[in-house]
Amino acid sequence: ASGQLSVEQSPEWLDVSERQNGIVTCTYSSAVQSLHWYRQAPRERPLFLLMLFGKGNQTQEPNFAADHDPGQKRSSLHIHGCRLGDTARYLCAVETQ
């Protein structure tokens, strides 16, 4: 139906080696109020990482950073110096205006 929000992300599953860097990108189809990033390890519940409002950047822990560009309707989660536990599914969720 028209007016529905679609959210896509790539890759769906991030498989990384230790000390590598990884990036997950999320795109969405209409204006949002905030964007949330989560990490879900196998057989675990999603773990909240960070939230973004408007355009800008945010860092959570030393190795997670995200940027958000509402004009481009996209956000990227950057993982620096990956650890073993960082191989997981990363999920973005958006809150509409």
Side-chain angles (χ1 to χ4, degrees):
S2 65
Q4 287 190 329
L5 174 69
S6 67
V7 179
E8 296 180 13
Q9 60 188 65
S10 178
E12 191 172 302
W13 176 266
L14 185 63
D15 190 4
V16 292
S17 300
E18 283 193 85
R19 294 181 295 283
Q20 277 189 330
N21 296 332
I23 185 169
V24 182
T25 300
C26 175
T27 56
Y28 49 91
S29 62
S30 60
V32 300
Q33 185 170 321
S34 63
L35 189 136
H36 312 244
W37 280 103
Y38 296 84
R39 175 176 63 197
Q40 185 174 22
R43 298 174 298 282
E44 298 284 336
R45 295 172 58 186
L47 173 70
F48 175 78
L49 293 175
L50 49 83
M51 180 188 312
L52 298 154
F53 293 95
K55 185 176 175 112
N57 303 305
Q58 180 157 346
T59 301
Q60 175 74 14
E61 303 179 20
N63 63 331
F64 289 104
D67 57 68
H68 185 214
D69 187 345
Q72 295 291 318
K73 295 185 173 68
R74 71 185 289 145
S75 176
S76 297
L77 178 69
H78 304 266
I79 304 140
H80 306 283
C82 291
R83 298 176 299 220
L84 207 54
D86 291 333
T87 293
R89 181 182 305 257
Y90 289 83
L91 308 165
C92 72
V94 295
E95 181 182 359
T96 56
Q97 293 181 332

